[in-house]
Amino acid sequence: MSNLKISDRFAKSFLTETLIQNELEKAEKARQTLLQKTGPGNEFLGWVDLPGKISGDDLQKLRVAAETIQSHSQFLVVVGIGGSYLGARAVIEALTPEFSAPETQKKSVKIIYAGHHLDADYHSRLLAFLENKEFSVNVISKSGTTTEPAIAFRLLLSLLERKYGRENVKKRVFATTDREKGALKQLADEYGFPTFVIPDDVGGRYSVFTPVGLLPIAAAGFSINKLIDGAKQMETELKSKSASDGNIATIYAAIRNALYTKGKKTEILVSYTPALSFLSEWWKQLFGESEGKTGKGIFPASVQFTTDLHSMGQYIQDGERLLMETVIKVEAPKQDVYLTEKPDDRDGLNYLAGKKLSEVNQSAMLGTLIAHRDGGVPCLEITLPTLNEEMVGELLYFFEFACGVSGYMLGVNPFDQPGVEDYKNNMFALLGKKGFEKRKEEILSHIR
């Protein structure tokens, strides 16, 4: 049974039992559509069965590659954009202690990210930083022609060739790409880069349990076996339990869609643990790119409490009532701090003497949940016992499955992203790419 729990105690007062039951029935139908692979985008449902299908040999190959990187590099530059880096970064940042000294860390390399934007200053500083560092590159792209990572990899490959010579570059570059075709696959074959495959039936934002996510996570020193074990546990539960049996993914999908029908158009993912900030970024891509179609979809946003209570708190409490919240609660910190008494009590905190800081944080969370519920913001709670590889694996698969269910409930294809091509085509035209001459003329005529 999963260790992840969900509660609607701060949301159910906004909904009738009839509405919730109707949405749960829709969620169960959507779950069956997902499992039977009969809905739109069914050619991209490989992720549904992925945790249970990953073999020990597959994981061993990834661990060997990670150990090779660790043996000769201080840094691994992960080159990718969107789902090609967000899943790995979400896991790595959730599990990496903020202030641990290098000598106390497990065997690992420091992960750096590139190719997720086009900022010149960032890439210039990155290249200068790596000039006298030992580093490797994991370039992740199905095609090898996505503009942002392609530019970053071209720059990094030039630096690698200058530092190590062309013949030695193949020891420093690991390509995660298509099995047979594409510019990156051709380049990998030409140079002899070790290559890992992005499955044809797994889209980018659902790819964290493929080599896209697993190789950087392993190189960072975390157990990909335990991560997959957590995902398997969640996969088994969500496949075997129906909505009427308490399937937590259908509960989440049903309540958020019920609230959507009541005018709650924006969902805020909230955490009280800074380590989860990039998990929020991954979640925003997952739901935003999956559900935002044909004029529909709940807008995904995120905040970090209690920090953002001092900036966004006013709007959430008293602003336009189009918000719902999903709060991720981590019950037990790995380490805690006790507050002590001071003789003068100048800061007025002696009433907290003897309490743990985690208790203060949990009280802030409960107080906020009550205040927001009373202010017209329904709140769901997702509770994890702690943060480790297994729990993060459970959480990621839970969100993937719930997103597929929720998208089908909305009546959209949760596994395509036609809208993201528009900006690319305009950019290609403005930069003078061959074949886009007519589009460039049209663009310029509209902005003159």
Side-chain angles (χ1 to χ4, degrees):
M1 186 172 177
S2 165
N3 295 295
L4 186 151
K5 308 297 180 188
I6 190 166
S7 172
D8 66 349
R9 60 179 174 159
F10 293 107
K12 59 186 177 182
S13 62
F14 293 83
L15 304 167
T16 65
E17 287 295 329
T18 300
L19 178 57
I20 292 174
Q21 190 56 42
N22 287 342
E23 293 299 319
L24 280 170
E25 291 173 4
K26 292 178 186 177
E28 178 58 25
K29 289 180 181 178
R31 186 181 80 94
Q32 291 299 329
T33 299
L34 194 65
L35 295 178
Q36 294 165 11
K37 298 180 171 63
T38 55
N42 54 26
E43 67 272 28
F44 294 109
L45 289 178
W47 62 270
V48 174
D49 308 310
L50 188 58
K53 286 186 173 180
I54 295 174
S55 70
D57 287 344
D58 293 334
L59 294 175
Q60 177 62 14
K61 289 174 184 176
L62 288 160
R63 289 196 302 271
V64 168
E67 289 168 2
T68 299
I69 294 167
Q70 292 164 351
S71 69
H72 58 51
S73 295
Q74 301 166 275
F75 299 91
L76 174 65
V77 186
V78 174
V79 178
I81 194 167
S84 294
Y85 91 104
L86 279 172
R89 191 165 189 177
V91 175
I92 292 166
E93 299 211 3
L95 299 175
T96 302
E98 293 89 342
F99 307 113
S100 58
E103 62 270 15
T104 67
Q105 294 181 4
K106 295 176 287 187
K107 187 177 181 182
S108 65
V109 295
K110 174 71 175 174
I111 309 298
I112 299 176
Y113 303 91
H116 52 299
H117 54 67
L118 293 167
D119 183 66
D121 283 335
Y122 180 95
H123 286 87
S124 296
R125 289 192 291 263
L126 174 63
L127 294 170
F129 174 78
L130 293 171
E131 184 71 41
N132 60 353
K133 306 293 192 303
E134 296 295 326
F135 75 98
S136 295
V137 173
N138 178 204
V139 55
I140 305 166
S141 176
K142 187 79 170 171
S143 65
T145 58
T146 303
T147 305
E148 293 91 341
I151 287 174
F153 183 55
R154 176 180 282 205
L155 295 170
L156 288 162
L157 184 58
S158 295
L159 177 58
L160 283 167
E161 288 184 320
R162 183 162 53 79
K163 278 174 65 80
Y164 302 110
R166 182 185 170 106
E167 187 58 33
N168 292 317
V169 165
K170 63 185 177 184
K171 302 175 184 177
R172 298 275 177 172
V173 176
F174 297 78
T176 306
T177 188
D178 190 86
R179 186 183 302 276
E180 297 178 347
K181 61 184 185 296
L184 180 55
K185 172 60 176 168
Q186 292 175 7
L187 191 66
D189 290 344
E190 178 187 331
Y191 275 79
F193 301 150
T195 303
F196 292 92
V197 174
I198 303 173
D200 289 336
D201 57 358
V202 178
R205 59 190 177 275
Y206 294 88
S207 66
V208 65
F209 299 120
T210 74
V212 169
L214 296 178
L215 180 56
I217 292 166
F222 299 107
S223 172
I224 54 177
N225 290 63
K226 291 179 180 178
L227 184 80
I228 294 299
D229 285 344
K232 283 181 184 176
Q233 176 69 37
M234 184 59 71
E235 178 190 348
T236 300
E237 178 168 333
L238 298 183
K239 285 182 173 180
S240 62
K241 276 189 175 182
S242 67
S244 59
D245 293 327
N247 183 296
I248 55 177
T250 59
I251 291 170
Y252 176 54
I255 292 176
R256 67 193 300 274
N257 276 280
L259 291 167
Y260 182 57
T261 69
K262 304 292 285 186
K264 304 301 182 181
K265 305 293 187 182
T266 297
E267 181 179 10
I268 305 175
L269 190 69
V270 180
S271 71
Y272 287 73
T273 305
L276 293 176
S277 62
F278 257 91
L279 189 137
S280 296
E281 296 303 311
W282 171 84
W283 174 87
K284 285 191 287 190
Q285 188 207 1
L286 178 68
F287 279 87
E289 201 167 74
S290 296
E291 291 191 330
K293 318 273 170 71
T294 65
K296 301 176 183 177
I298 301 167
F299 183 79
S302 65
V303 291
Q304 175 65 56
F305 287 165
T306 59
T307 302
D308 290 334
L309 287 172
H310 297 263
S311 57
M312 296 297 293
Q314 175 60 42
Y315 187 95
I316 295 171
Q317 185 69 43
D318 288 336
E320 191 170 353
R321 300 297 76 189
L322 47 70
L323 308 176
M324 64 177 101
E325 288 182 347
T326 296
V327 178
I328 299 179
K329 174 183 177 182
V330 180
E331 287 188 310
K334 294 176 181 176
Q335 294 177 304
D336 218 329
V337 178
Y338 281 87
L339 299 168
T340 58
E341 189 171 351
K342 294 287 186 180
D344 54 20
D345 194 26
R346 289 181 181 176
D347 53 14
L349 295 179
N350 274 355
Y351 76 100
L352 297 176
K355 295 186 185 297
K356 294 182 288 186
L357 188 55
S358 62
E359 184 181 349
V360 179
N361 200 31
Q362 297 290 351
S363 296
M365 184 187 306
L366 181 58
T368 304
L369 282 163
I370 294 168
H372 288 181
R373 186 270 315 275
D374 293 347
V377 179
C379 306
L380 282 167
E381 297 167 272
I382 294 173
T383 301
L384 316 177
T386 190
L387 275 182
N388 56 29
E389 287 97 332
E390 292 95 333
M391 281 311 312
V392 174
E394 283 194 33
L395 182 63
L396 294 176
Y397 188 87
F398 161 78
F399 275 135
E400 287 182 347
F401 197 96
C403 186
V405 170
S406 186
Y408 281 152
M409 290 176 71
L410 275 172
V412 302
N413 178 353
F415 310 110
D416 66 356
Q417 52 279 339
V420 301
E421 298 304 315
D422 291 345
Y423 93 87
K424 294 179 184 178
N425 291 333
N426 288 341
M427 179 178 68
F428 295 154
L430 290 168
L431 290 171
K433 187 173 183 178
K434 187 176 180 180
F436 288 83
E437 294 83 1
K438 184 176 180 181
R439 192 180 185 100
K440 182 175 183 179
E441 292 176 9
E442 293 172 350
I443 292 171
L444 294 177
S445 70
H446 282 94
I447 62 174
R448 286 192 181 104

